[in-house]
């Protein structure tokens, strides 16, 4: 393999730039030419592809977002779009790809390989930490720290006014951000999508215990779940059904969780995974995602990453209960 | 004056603890006894009042919120409530008050003095910076930095996806936080309550200019105004009336703006104003708010602080326009 | 076991408070009385021991340092001192101990058990991450993030002036902080105590390669090693032996690395380890340190933790080389 | 005036990029062409000058350092060097300059004007806040916040171990950073260059008062003064002359104070001053520095800025004393 390309796709995550840097520098170290594709599959179809060198990735390790940009591409879901993408890669002599992204990204790569035999190695870039095949995804640690910083700030206000705060964090199918920022923030209760029981009565029970213990303020962390607004919904129900007088507020952290200077953990993880991806690709890996499992670099077939669940440990849910 | 008390009232603001510390240590320096009243006028009525010493305010200068807590008191709006408050103060021999808060706090203090002749000196503690009689209020600088930090994070995501973001910051009657975090965050447009014109067409015009300049992402900062949700409302209107295809997102910063470790500026401002308040009270000031105007400590009658406006400089609005 | 005590000992580390909180709340959950011992073995000898409840550990999870304080105790190295400590514990009916600290702490606990049969379970609290028996120690992740934040700041200045900076980080026998903050900070070279070769010529070679690549600034991260000042020493040698004209500066990060708000990772790690320590103690563990190895909670005999090495992975050193 | 150039010179300061951005965008708003000169007077002599547009200053408002870089130039102190600089500017048709820097920068500009009649307007960029003609200089607020953040971290350790810490901050001739970070950090004593008395006995007196009050830890902030190492020197003297047993540590903050994401205050100040500089130049101002005095934009002749002192207010020194 003489020439490869790297791109980012799906929601951006802090540390993606550190990963791009590792791919580019790793490629150069192994004397392989490397191209950057802008805006993921969109840029692949539009031919927005340019050669990269070591200098293009200078001084980006600490930057949030992705210098290669990201976008959704409807055209890549069509055979015509993928053909165009392939033609562009072929014209440039690109023989392999490193894809930084999540489920959707790897699904696209899998389909693309089946049609055109261009191998891809993936690196897991998503704040949600919901990918099977790696203990942590790039951006997750930063997102938890950002949420925690927000929870710390809100605790100041909650304590000053003896209020109950419902804080909604990101996490559509996965409560990882919620559970870890809940434990770290000393939350009294955490609502996660994985728990299918109706949380309202449990929250009420916990809050009442707090009143008995004379806790003057409480924090409930809620993963957004299906769609934004879950915290508001739960808070409304509780306001109606609680008999003690409490001052309840809701705040939704929103997009701040995706941005920011990547944490040490994310920079190192992204560097390891980026280097693992390029070196895996050069050694013949294909259609696998690189991950860190039990501190070791592993490659897992895309198909497993996409289809298998990564459940939250019961230990963590137990910790919230004991420590609050 | 041998014995005074200090309390915080209204919304909490970062730096209130630094101000409490300065009042307590200033009182002790001048050999005056000082009491703390918990939860503002509520605690004054309930007699939740305790003696404070230098040690009670150790290691609090860097903490957000207020160790004296804050609350709204309906009873203090009644003659009976105020009588009870006075009886409690009298029983403890408290001869003067330092009140850290905003408009509502000072209105209460003014009424209380007219009835019971207990003098109050106020210190302006509110993140909104909407008080006449001081260039800056305690908590404002921290709130702007918190907003700016959030805007920086969102800019990462906006740039990575070529999106337009509407970011709602606090500011009911005042656009101070919006204008300063907008300039500092390099926003393309800022919507403030002081501007009575319909912002939608101006925002559209600015966004279109950006598209011409090939700016790939934009940030519009919106002060919440009358009630939360203004950013969503404006964004909806724009989505309907804009003809180019743009990916528009809305995020509301919410309560994180009230909390957090106070900035250097707020700690020093709070220390100066707290010391100014206690020393003013001891020198016979009453029913005035201490403030910093043109770098000098001044005292302004409550009545002026409450009734006079503090307009945003036109220079700042002009700067947003030129620099975006 | 009906009554236990917890203490912190050795250098303080961010997250120790989160660990104390988990021990106290875990004990209460299991209906066991818990006492706090101030200033480690010193307080044990002086009888500075007090009962703790859930409220004593409210709102401390986010605080740096240790509310139980820490100190070195010469008297505990004497038989008389340890006898006094034992007498105090016995008088209070304390049957087991949780010790949060490092090598010295656990050595003391081991000796104490041999003499008086009071079992101890340890939790690894040290920023150096140099303890066998756990992948990470409490405080390490925060210290790396603090170092990284400093390196990012210094990189601004290095880039603006085309300078070479030598940055000395903590790490007496261990290069963990150096290597991870070096990778995360994009350092051109990292000097660690584990590498016994003379680093000067390697650093010079790397710097010269940078000049060839027209890198305009460079960062070299140096672990302090035996004693503070190693970075200065190496920088001096290099100034003398390099033939190109370069502006070389040295900065020593010092004690800021020990303090600060603990990171998400450290709060969760500390919570898990604190809970693991108290529950281990109650289940009959003794003279072991609780740790997380490959994401699982494990107990390792003190004697192994003290005597076994925890080498830095060669992969990390290789990464610095490839990515710089 | 149809064409101007902007450069940064002297030590870098956070906010310089925000100032460059304001100059460039201000120039474009007024339909004036703008060039950037790299590495200050060095680049002016070497002809390292390039045209800038609005896009060159996109997304830089939040970055530390200076994208135009900075350097010292010995050649500019010679008539030959300045002639070369003039020839380069003339060849490009540059009619006026905006210089962002400090004393040395403005001295150079003054001499240059006397010889070649190219007018310069300056903007004060230095973390030391030691320039007459403005209440605050660009970078000062960020530097104080950085120092404060370090002091907060060190306080964690000082409290945990009952230690006395001497913290050395920047400030050669000026104690501004020391005094403000000392007040904000709740320091027990602040040593500034402006105070010519021997500080050792005063520090000892203060420390002893603390021991009487049973303060368990103390922070002394020391401005570096003539050369780095002052804190160590004072600490050594005190160790020798104090009779109580105290654990004294010294830490020097060093270059981290120059870098980092600029604070809200610095971004807005830099924007105002940059815009003020370019608009002043276009309106015919020359050899003046733009500043903010009592919240108003003013222009002060370089000669006054260079020669006049800006003393620290006695009020601030008094505050340290009362509040500690």
């Amino acid at each position: 393999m003489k020439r490869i390309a790297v791109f980012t796709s799906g929601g951006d995550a802090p540390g993606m730039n550190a990963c791009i840097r590792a791919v580019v520098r790793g490629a150069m170290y192994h004397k392989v030419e490397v191209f950057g594709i802008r805006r993921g599959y969109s840029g692949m179809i539009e031919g927005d592809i340019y050669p990269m060198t070591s200098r293009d990735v200078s001084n980006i390790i600490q930057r949030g977002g992705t210098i290669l940009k990201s976008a959704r591409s409807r055209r890549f879901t069509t055979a015509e779009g993928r053909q165009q993408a392939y033609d562009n890669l072929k014209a440039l002599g690109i023989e392999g790809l490193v894809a930084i992204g999540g489920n959707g990204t790897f699904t696209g790569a899998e389909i693309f390989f089946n049609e055109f035999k261009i191998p891809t190695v993936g690196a897991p870039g998503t704040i949600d930490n919901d990918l099977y095949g790696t203990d942590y995804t790039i951006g997750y640690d930063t997102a938890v720290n950002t949420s925690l910083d927000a929870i710390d700030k809100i605790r100041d206000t909650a304590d000053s006014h003896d209020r109950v705060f419902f804080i909604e964090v990101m996490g559509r199918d996965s409560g990882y951000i919620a559970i870890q920022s809940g434990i770290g923030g000393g939350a009294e209760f955490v609502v996660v999508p994985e728990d299918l029981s109706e949380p309202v009565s449990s929250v009420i029970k916990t809050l009442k215990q707090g009143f008995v213990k004379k806790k003057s303020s409480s924090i409930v962390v809620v993963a957004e779940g299906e769609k934004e607004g879950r915290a508001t919904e739960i808070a409304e129900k509780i306001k109606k059904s609680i008999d003690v007088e409490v001052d309840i507020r809701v705040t939704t952290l929103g997009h701040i969780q995706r941005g920011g200077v990547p944490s040490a953990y994310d920079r190192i993880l992204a560097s390891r995974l980026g280097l693992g991806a390029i070196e895996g690709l050069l050694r013949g890996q294909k259609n696998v995602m690189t991950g860190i499992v039990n501190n070791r670099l592993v490659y897992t077939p895309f198909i497993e990453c996409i289809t298998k669940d990564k459940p939250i440990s019961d230990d963590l849910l137990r910790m919230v209960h004991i420590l609050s």
Side-chain angles (χ1 to χ4, degrees), chain A:
Chain A
M1 214 170 273
K2 298 283 183 210
R3 190 175 278 184
I4 65 108
V6 57
F7 64 98
T8 51
S9 172
D12 65 310
M16 279 186 162
N17 283 327
C19 191
I20 295 168
R21 175 179 176 268
V23 172
V24 171
R25 298 215 165 153
M28 301 201 74
Y29 178 79
H30 291 289
K31 319 272 186 223
V32 170
E33 283 182 280
V34 58
F35 282 68
I37 303 172
R38 285 199 192 86
R39 285 171 298 106
Y41 293 117
S42 287
M44 205 184 284
I45 294 172
E46 294 159 21
D48 196 353
I49 305 172
Y50 68 107
M52 296 184 84
T53 68
S54 206
R55 303 216 66 187
D56 292 305
V57 293
S58 274
N59 214 6
I60 67 164
I61 197 171
Q62 80 281 22
R63 296 220 184 119
T66 157
I67 60 163
L68 290 178
K69 302 206 172 195
S70 187
R72 267 160 214 189
S73 171
R74 281 186 221 146
R75 276 186 71 197
F76 199 74
T77 63
T78 68
E80 170 271 333
R82 291 192 296 273
Q83 181 68 52
Q84 181 64 57
Y86 172 71
D87 293 346
N88 290 335
L89 296 178
K90 207 185 164 201
L92 287 165
I94 290 164
E95 299 166 83
L97 297 169
V98 173
I100 306 165
N103 263 336
T105 311
F106 303 151
T107 305
E110 180 82 17
I111 293 168
F112 195 59
F113 177 79
N114 290 337
E115 294 172 348
F116 302 105
K117 305 300 162 203
I118 295 201
T120 298
V121 174
T126 162
I127 62 167
D128 285 342
N129 198 31
D130 55 357
L131 281 169
Y132 179 86
T134 191
D135 291 338
Y136 292 103
T137 55
I138 298 165
Y140 170 66
D141 185 64
T142 307
V144 173
N145 276 292
T146 299
S147 301
L148 208 47
D149 180 55
I151 293 172
D152 285 353
K153 287 188 167 79
I154 289 167
R155 169 96 52 202
D156 288 341
T157 282
D159 279 349
S160 297
H161 291 274
D162 293 348
R163 278 178 185 157
V164 175
F165 262 94
F166 285 76
I167 302 175
E168 183 167 308
V169 300
M170 284 191 168
R172 226 154 266 265
D173 318 302
S174 156
Y176 273 99
I177 294 178
I179 197 90
Q180 295 233 354
S181 57
I183 293 173
E188 273 67 27
F189 203 88
V190 176
V191 180
V192 294
E194 288 85 349
D195 183 356
L196 297 174
S197 68
E198 174 52 58
V200 174
S201 60
S202 309
V203 174
I204 290 175
K205 201 176 141 199
T206 303
L207 292 180
K208 285 188 179 169
Q209 281 171 344
F211 300 140
V212 172
K213 285 196 225 166
K214 290 204 180 171
K215 279 211 171 184
S216 49
S217 67
S218 296
I219 301 281
V220 179
V221 175
V222 181
E224 59 181 358
E226 290 305 302
K227 62 173 177 35
E228 225 185 79
R230 189 147 196 238
T232 307
E233 196 188 291
I234 294 173
E236 287 306 322
K237 282 190 192 161
I238 284 168
K239 269 185 209 173
K240 277 176 199 154
S241 48
I242 208 161
D243 47 351
V244 230
E245 198 188 343
V246 264
D247 186 357
I248 291 179
R249 303 289 167 114
V250 180
T251 205
T252 302
L253 298 188
H255 285 86
I256 57 167
Q257 294 164 87
R258 290 203 175 282
V261 172
S263 69
Y265 196 96
D266 272 331
R267 296 192 203 182
I268 293 156
L269 177 69
S271 298
R272 286 179 79 183
L273 294 179
L275 192 55
I278 180 70
E279 296 192 330
L281 186 65
L282 297 181
R283 274 192 243 105
Q285 293 279 2
K286 58 189 167 211
N287 311 321
V288 294
M289 185 189 85
T290 183
I292 305 288
V293 175
N294 290 341
N295 299 312
R296 299 188 57 174
L297 195 78
V298 296
Y299 298 95
T300 306
F302 281 154
I303 200 75
E304 286 185 48
C305 301
I306 296 164
T307 54
K308 288 198 180 167
D309 277 346
K310 187 163 94 177
I312 290 182
S313 149
D314 284 344
D315 279 3
L316 293 176
L317 288 163
R318 184 175 167 266
M319 272 175 67
V320 175
H321 177 56
I322 296 182
L323 300 183
S324 71

